[in-house]
Amino acid sequence: MARLADYFIVVGYDHEKTGSAEGLGKIIQRFPQKDWEDTPFPQGIELFCQPGGWQLSKERKQPTFFVVVLTDIDSERHYCSCLTFYEAEINLQGAKEIEGEEESGLIPPAEVFAPKSLVLVSRLDYPEIFRACLGLIYTVYVDSLNVSLEALIANLCSCLVPASGGSQKLFSLGAGDRQLIQTPLHDSLPVTGTSVALLFQQLGIQNVLSLFCAVLTENKVLFHSTSFQRLSDACRALESLMFPLKYSYPYIPILPAQLLEVLSSPTPFIIGVHSIFRNDIHELLDVIIADLDGGTIKIPECIHLSQLPEPLLHQTQMALSLVCLDTKLIFHPPTLFLKNQNKNFKVRAIFLRLFAQLFQGYRSCLQLIRIHAEPVIHFHKAAFLGQRGLIENDFLTKVLNGMAFAGFVSERGPPFRACDLFDELVAFEVERIKAEEGNPPKMIKHVRELAEQLFKNVSLFIPKTESIKD
């Protein structure tokens, strides 16, 4: 069992530390007051809940919701769900700082609007649940309902949920609400919502495949957009396409303005920034930049981007085209949600098939060395490439030399462990995948079967009456 939420935080505008241009935020309240022994309080949360900077506004802006991801020193991720709204304040001294305006000599307005953020910090990735919880807390606060805010927050932070196994957890914050959590059957399989389908709709097949190859060969990938939620979804989608590999480098879906120097880091990364910083990222020479709003990517001339080996590249492009993902939509009305969910599972199934073909026979190249205090698993890269006839292949060589594959060997190399969908696929289905290369109907049939299994892993997210085949 794990806590649904570790901390609830209220962050507001700091009128005492305002500068000439940039404002600052400060933690107004937090619950609990003391740190959990297993989960330290996240430092710097004030920067992340206002990634564009703390600024006063002349008008009340609409509330926004997004999720930022913080990684601690033990490489554990903490998902910080932020709901930001604006409150009217009387602040004559700070009024001249509104959105960078200079003093005009006129009497400044007495009423300004200051941002305030409600933040939930959790080790669990349940964005829709946290959106609903924060929305309820916000409604009770703004409408001054006859409900104790302290009781709502206490109920939220005391809720325990199973980590995985398909269990359901029904709970209430105490405001007449009923919240239902469905845990995934296997926690090793990513839960992506509609993010993968949306990424393909925003960028198209060729651009997403380029980004996919970029992260597998340890290049720097930077997204920019005017929507923080779009940045979070794109980073989540790109990382999930790497399964069964896990990304081992900095992963920051929303980078605050004060930390833009991180983009000069020599290490690979997946990072998202707001488009207002477009000029700051324009001169980055070793970073592949994806514009989620414009649907384009920019690959610097100094980067040689290795591509998937043939015939896998052609097969993957054809399969993606067959599930009709190469359409760029300007907006996504709610009626497209189920359609995007279905596409989401199908495209993930296509990438599962791709990795099964890339890594087929990898277990025959594992060697367990027992001369150390603890056994060490060694992977014979030359033997693997030789038996595949890909010794000179630049892409696969870079993948095998990367940190993600080293983690893959360490995690999946041991003979006695829990297995998941990928293990079954690479052990029993590779020959079937090869036989379907020239038969699109059979290939699509297999994709649907795999998509059904991915669907069952998080079956609550789509109504039971819906079919992945529709």
Side-chain angles (χ1 to χ4, degrees), residues 151-197:
L152 296 182
I153 297 166
N155 290 336
L156 175 62
C157 293
S158 62
C159 179
L160 300 177
V161 297
S164 62
S167 303
Q168 291 186 350
K169 173 73 175 183
L170 183 65
F171 72 100
S172 171
L173 296 186
D177 60 307
R178 289 169 62 87
Q179 312 278 352
L180 180 63
I181 298 176
Q182 172 83 44
T183 63
L185 290 173
H186 303 283
D187 57 4
S188 63
L189 297 176
V191 177
T192 58
T194 62
S195 62
V196 172

Side-chain angles (χ1 to χ4, degrees), residues 355-363 384 387-388 426 430-431 434:
F355 273 109
Q357 292 173 281
L358 277 175
F359 295 162
Q360 60 174 305
Y362 83 93
R363 298 202 65 83
F384 179 75
Q387 73 181 19
R388 301 288 304 279
V426 77
V430 173
E431 292 304 319
K434 287 182 179 180

